[in-house]
């Protein structure tokens, strides 16, 4: 399937070039985000009746993992409100570039941090405390506020969107999985970029800002670090930027060779497996350990969590791909072949989220009418009873997601193995064992 | 083997694994009674196994705050006040694996207060693992078929 350029359609192109539609969505999202912070801090401590828990961890999460990431890649980043106040402060403007550059530090992020290790760490920090975070409104409120202030703080010290690019715990995995999405932003003609003077897409111009994600669009070969902010569409003087519809997982044909990205795949795969066991499993002792932060059992839980992600999963993977006859360094084979875990991990999260979301979605109606749990009944749905939805189709849907993910991963493994000249069989067997474990945990 | 034939064989095997009726062991229905201790945020025992057709009685014994027990798909529930017990009786006529969960907000981890009821064999799990196994076994003939098709398209 060839790419279909969506920006050929005048309506889409005009909507993306104009700042106003995006600004309108941004403002709605920012109001919702600030309200979620306030609801978390001043609303009812009962998580299932608090807007912050219900709308962030059920509604937003469902949209993100079941729709936005698989179909739109970094589409969420295009409308995420977190970098907005910091960016306005950094730019000294909310819309078009001001005449004078605002005087902030505007430093370049040090080279040692220009990778996704910090995002891996920030995700793991949240993951270790997730049982508390997902269920306690004031903790959710504090974390949401901390992310907003971290983004503002980093915007005043570093250039561009340093928080989104290097620290956001959500942005890391969205970037990883956005490689599977059927949407991409790419240049139309490389030669045009080569001869373009001033590179306004990266450096900015009177038409718009230089890439907030610190990416030169002329060199884009995968979705991972393009935040789809559409700034380059506005600044390109040659109309050389396109948003394309493409086959799923097109970026995975060229496997990554970076260890930070490889470990991101293991972190996400391992977290999905652990959550399926701890949160959705019948074992109360695991839940107690995960929830009682700072207890001895929580420390054991944290050690086991990290050991699964950093030792057991990558260790078994490494054992599978050991081959003394292969001349390529093991590190390169490890990083390249771990690309196969990207579709598998995404589908693990889809299967996990289906269970969590379908059984708890009915809380949305009640929280909509009484978002702070103060006894309001704005839309007459405050007393809507909790009722799991579509539980009869849950098992078939999860099977479809997990077995589909296995097929997708096997295909990706075959392509990645071709690139590094090794057999894909060990990786496929690894994916099969992980899938069987996930099936056992969920079904 | 002809790749088209391999693909057809694989699809048929997949359908058989997913939908073929399995023999059901003939076990006479019994009356089964379980006493389940409910406390924040777990049931004990948390896994119940019964045979299809059994009449199941669950006595929910509540040891701390108010808790409930709702069985997915069966759409039945029972609630018990703190320190009290309540009884739920039903015929386990749907085979498979079902989650039971607390249906009364009982604290922070309430959405994850979950147990498991297995009625008969957990066929869906075995069928799913069968499909996953078939994926691995059939992957290579299938992928060579796709590769040849792609090569033809490129040519």
């Amino acid at each position: 399937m060839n790419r279909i350029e969506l920006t050929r359609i005048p309506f889409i192109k005009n909507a993306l070039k104009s700042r106003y539609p995006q600004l309108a969505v941004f403002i709605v999202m920012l109001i919702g985000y600030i309200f979620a912070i306030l609801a978390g801090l001043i609303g009812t401590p009962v998580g299932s009746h608090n807007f912050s828990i219900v709308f962030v961890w059920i509604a937003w999460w469902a949209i993100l993992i079941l729709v936005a990431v698989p179909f739109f890649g970094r589409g969420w980043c295009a409308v995420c409100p977190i970098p907005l106040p910091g960016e306005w402060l950094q730019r000294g403007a909310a819309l078009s570039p001001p005449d004078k550059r605002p005087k902030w530090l505007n430093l370049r992020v040090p080279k040692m941090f220009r990778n996704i290790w910090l995002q891996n760490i920030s995700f793991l920090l949240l993951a270790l405390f997730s049982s508390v975070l997902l269920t306690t409104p004031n903790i959710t409120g504090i974390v949401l506020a901390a992310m907003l202030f971290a983004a503002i703080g980093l915007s005043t010290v570093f250039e561009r969107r340093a928080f989104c690019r290097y620290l956001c715990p959500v942005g890391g995995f969205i970037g990883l999985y956005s490689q599977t999405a059927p949407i991409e932003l790419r240049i139309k003609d490389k030669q045009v970029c080569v001869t373009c003077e001033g590179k306004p897409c990266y450096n900015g111009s009177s038409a718009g800002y230089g890439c907030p994600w610190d990416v030169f669009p002329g060199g884009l070969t995968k979705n991972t670090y393009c935040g789809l902010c559409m700034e380059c569409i506005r600044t390109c003087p040659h109309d050389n930027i396109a948003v394309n519809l493409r086959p799923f997982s097109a970026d995975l044909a060229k496997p990554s060779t970076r260890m930070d990205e490889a470990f991101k795949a293991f972190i996400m795969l391992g977290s999905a497996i652990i959550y399926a066991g701890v949160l959705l499993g019948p074992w109360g002792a695991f839940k107690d350990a995960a929830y009682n932060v700072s207890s001895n059992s929580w420390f054991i839980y944290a050690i086991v969590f990290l050991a699964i992600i950093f030792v057991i999963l990558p260790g078994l993977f490494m054992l599978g791909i050991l081959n003394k006859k292969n001349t390529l360094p093991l590190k390169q084979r490890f990083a390249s072949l771990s690309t196969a875990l990207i579709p598998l991990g995404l589908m693990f999260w889809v299967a996990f989220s289906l269970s969590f979301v379908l059984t708890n979605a009915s809380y949305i109606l009640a929280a909509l009418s009484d978002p702070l749990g103060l006894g309001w009944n704005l839309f007459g749905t405050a007393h809507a009873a909790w009722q799991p939805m579509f539980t009869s189709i849950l098992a078939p849907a999860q099977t479809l997601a997990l077995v589909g993910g296995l097929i997708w991963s096997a295909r990706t493994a075959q392509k990645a193995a071709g690139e590094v000249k090794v057999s894909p069989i060990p990786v496929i067997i690894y994916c099969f064992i992980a899938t069987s474990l996930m099936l056992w945990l969920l079904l | 083997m002809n790749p088209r034939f391999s693909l057809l064989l694989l699809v048929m095997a997949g359908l058989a694994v997913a939908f073929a009726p399995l023999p059901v062991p003939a076990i006479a229905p019994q009356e089964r009674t379980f006493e389940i201790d409910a406390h924040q945020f777990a049931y004990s025992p948390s896994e119940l196994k019964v045979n299809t057709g059994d009449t199941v009685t669950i006595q929910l014994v509540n040891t701390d705050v108010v808790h409930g027990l709702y069985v997915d798909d069966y759409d039945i529930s029972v609630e018990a006040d703190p320190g009290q017990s309540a009884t739920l009786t039903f015929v386990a006529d749907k085979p498979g694996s079902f989650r039971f969960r607390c249906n009364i907000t009982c604290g922070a981890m309430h959405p994850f207060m979950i147990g498991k009821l297995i009625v008969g064999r957990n066929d869906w799990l075995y069928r799913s693992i069968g499909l996953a196994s078939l994926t691995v076994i059939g992957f290579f003939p299938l992928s060579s078929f796709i590769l040849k098709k792609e090569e033809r398209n490129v040519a």
Side-chain angles (χ1 to χ4, degrees):
Chain A
M1 178 185 155
N2 286 326
R3 277 141 170 86
I4 298 167
E5 190 193 328
L6 296 175
T7 34
R8 273 181 190 273
I9 303 165
F11 171 76
I12 294 179
K13 186 165 187 177
N14 292 336
L16 296 178
K17 270 201 110 158
S18 167
R19 293 174 185 279
Y20 291 101
Q22 194 179 26
L23 182 70
V25 181
F26 267 145
I27 288 172
V28 172
M29 293 288 180
L30 188 60
I31 291 168
Y33 191 85
I34 291 170
F35 187 70
I37 293 174
L38 292 175
L41 297 178
I42 64 170
T44 173
V46 180
S48 51
H49 291 85
N50 187 300
F51 180 88
S52 69
I53 296 291
V54 174
F55 272 79
V56 174
W57 300 124
I58 300 174
W60 169 77
W61 181 258
I63 293 168
L64 182 76
I65 211 72
L66 302 177
V67 182
V69 173
F71 296 101
F72 300 99
R74 277 208 187 259
W76 164 254
C77 298
V79 294
C80 174
I82 296 173
L84 215 56
E87 196 162 71
W88 287 341
L89 199 65
Q90 186 187 58
R91 291 171 171 177
L95 278 172
S96 301
D99 295 336
K100 285 186 179 177
R101 200 176 177 82
K103 291 191 188 312
W104 294 102
L105 290 177
N106 209 34
L107 300 176
R108 189 141 175 78
V109 172
K111 198 176 175 192
M112 65 179 292
F113 296 123
R114 275 185 250 146
N115 49 55
I116 62 167
W117 280 115
L118 282 180
Q119 288 182 316
N120 289 346
I121 293 168
S122 64
F123 178 86
L124 279 172
L125 269 179
L126 294 188
L128 286 174
F129 297 96
S130 57
S131 295
V132 178
L133 176 65
L134 294 178
T135 57
T136 315
N138 58 5
I139 301 295
T140 285
I142 289 167
V143 168
L144 294 181
M147 286 168 70
L148 193 65
F149 286 114
I152 292 171
L154 288 179
S155 293
T156 60
V157 176
F158 296 109
E159 61 171 6
R160 308 177 198 255
R161 289 189 182 177
F163 175 81
C164 302
R165 179 70 200 263
Y166 302 112
L167 192 61
C168 178
V170 180
F173 76 78
I174 296 181
L176 184 82
Y177 292 144
S178 69
Q179 296 176 82
T180 65
I183 290 276
E184 65 177 13
L185 181 143
R186 295 288 187 275
I187 55 163
K188 297 176 193 172
D189 181 350
K190 197 161 195 172
Q191 203 51 39
V192 172
C193 294
V194 171
T195 55
C196 175
E197 281 184 23
K199 311 281 189 270
C201 59
Y202 183 74
N203 295 314
S205 68
S206 59
Y209 300 94
C211 177
W213 288 77
D214 200 18
V215 169
F216 172 52
L220 262 181
T221 54
K222 59 181 187 175
N223 285 353
T224 316
Y225 304 110
C226 168
L228 293 179
C229 65
M230 306 297 162
E231 207 55 41
C232 54
I233 288 188
R234 294 164 194 144
T235 52
C236 179
H238 309 290
D239 191 22
N240 196 35
I241 308 282
V243 175
N244 301 320
L245 200 60
R246 63 175 197 180
F248 281 94
S249 75
D251 289 349
L252 302 182
K254 277 273 173 206
S256 167
T257 53
R258 288 174 52 166
M259 289 301 270
D260 55 343
E261 292 178 6
F263 269 92
K264 186 83 207 164
F266 283 102
I267 289 169
M268 297 313 296
L269 190 80
S271 301
I273 293 171
I274 294 166
Y275 284 168
V278 172
L279 298 180
L280 303 182
W283 305 289
F286 292 172
K287 295 177 210 291
D288 277 349
Y291 183 70
N292 292 312
V293 172
S294 84
S295 67
N296 288 341
S297 56
W298 180 82
F299 280 107
I300 295 168
Y301 164 76
I303 290 166
V304 172
F305 193 112
L306 295 175
I308 289 172
I309 282 168
F310 284 111
V311 182
I312 298 172
L313 288 178
L316 292 173
F317 190 82
M318 189 87 86
L319 280 178
I321 61 169
L322 276 178
N323 180 0
K324 286 175 186 167
K325 288 178 190 166
N326 195 296
T327 52
L328 277 177
L330 182 61
K331 197 173 156 184
Q332 190 181 336
R333 275 182 280 152
F334 178 84
S336 296
L337 290 170
S338 66
T339 305
L341 305 181
I342 294 172
L344 193 73
L346 176 62
M347 299 319 275
F348 276 23
W349 278 97
V350 166
F352 164 78
S353 303
L354 276 173
S355 178
F356 175 62
V357 167
L358 291 181
T359 48
N360 293 296
S362 58
Y363 286 128
I364 294 173
L365 287 177
L368 202 63
S369 271
D370 188 12
L372 302 176
L374 297 178
W376 303 348
N377 197 358
L378 299 175
F379 305 104
T381 54
H383 304 294
W386 170 82
Q387 179 68 42
M389 294 157 66
F390 308 117
T391 48
S392 58
I393 61 156
L394 190 55
Q398 287 175 320
T399 301
L400 207 62
L402 293 173
V403 176
L406 178 63
I407 296 170
W408 196 358
S409 276
R411 188 90 180 97
T412 309
Q414 196 183 36
K415 286 179 182 171
E419 290 284 323
V420 290
K421 311 269 186 292
V422 294
S423 164
I425 293 173
V427 179
I428 293 172
I429 291 171
Y430 182 92
C431 292
F432 166 72
I433 294 169
T435 304
S436 301
L437 176 62
M438 196 67 176
L439 284 166
W440 176 70
L441 289 169
L442 290 177
L443 299 179
Chain B
M1 193 187 287
N2 184 322
R4 279 178 194 277
F5 183 69
S6 303
L7 181 63
L8 186 69
L9 212 61
L10 201 65
V11 171
M12 285 172 67
L15 289 172
V17 169
F19 301 111
L22 296 171
V24 181
I27 300 170
Q30 299 171 19
E31 295 212 347
R32 307 287 300 271
T33 302
F34 298 94
E35 186 178 297
I36 297 184
D37 169 33
H39 55 274
Q40 287 180 317
F41 299 97
Y43 296 103
S44 179
S46 58
E47 274 193 74
L48 310 180
K49 285 183 185 169
V50 300
N51 294 316
T52 310
D54 284 356
T55 300
V56 181
T57 298
I58 292 174
Q59 194 179 10
L60 188 71
V61 181
N62 205 339
T63 53
D64 47 25
V65 299
V66 62
H67 290 293
L69 188 150
Y70 169 92
V71 186
D72 283 4
D73 271 12
Y74 279 84
D75 201 20
I76 49 173
S77 63
V78 65
E79 296 158 16
D81 288 330
Q84 304 291 310
S85 66
T87 304
L88 174 70
T89 301
F90 63 100
V91 177
D93 52 1
K94 293 181 198 171
S97 169
F98 306 90
R99 293 289 194 273
F100 56 86
R101 54 187 88 237
C102 185
N103 60 336
I104 305 290
T105 303
C106 61
M109 286 285 279
H110 155 72
F112 304 114
M113 185 167 166
I114 293 171
K116 201 172 179 180
L117 167 71
I118 297 173
V119 181
R121 258 189 332 236
N122 189 356
D123 280 350
W124 195 262
L125 172 64
Y126 302 134
R127 288 181 193 276
S128 300
I129 291 178
L131 283 173
S133 310
L134 202 63
T135 296
V136 175
I137 296 163
F139 177 74
F140 295 99
L142 184 65
S143 66
S144 69
F145 174 71
I146 294 168
L147 277 177
K148 277 180 187 167
K149 202 175 171 188
E150 281 177 357
E151 278 165 13
R152 271 206 305 274
N153 287 344
V154 170

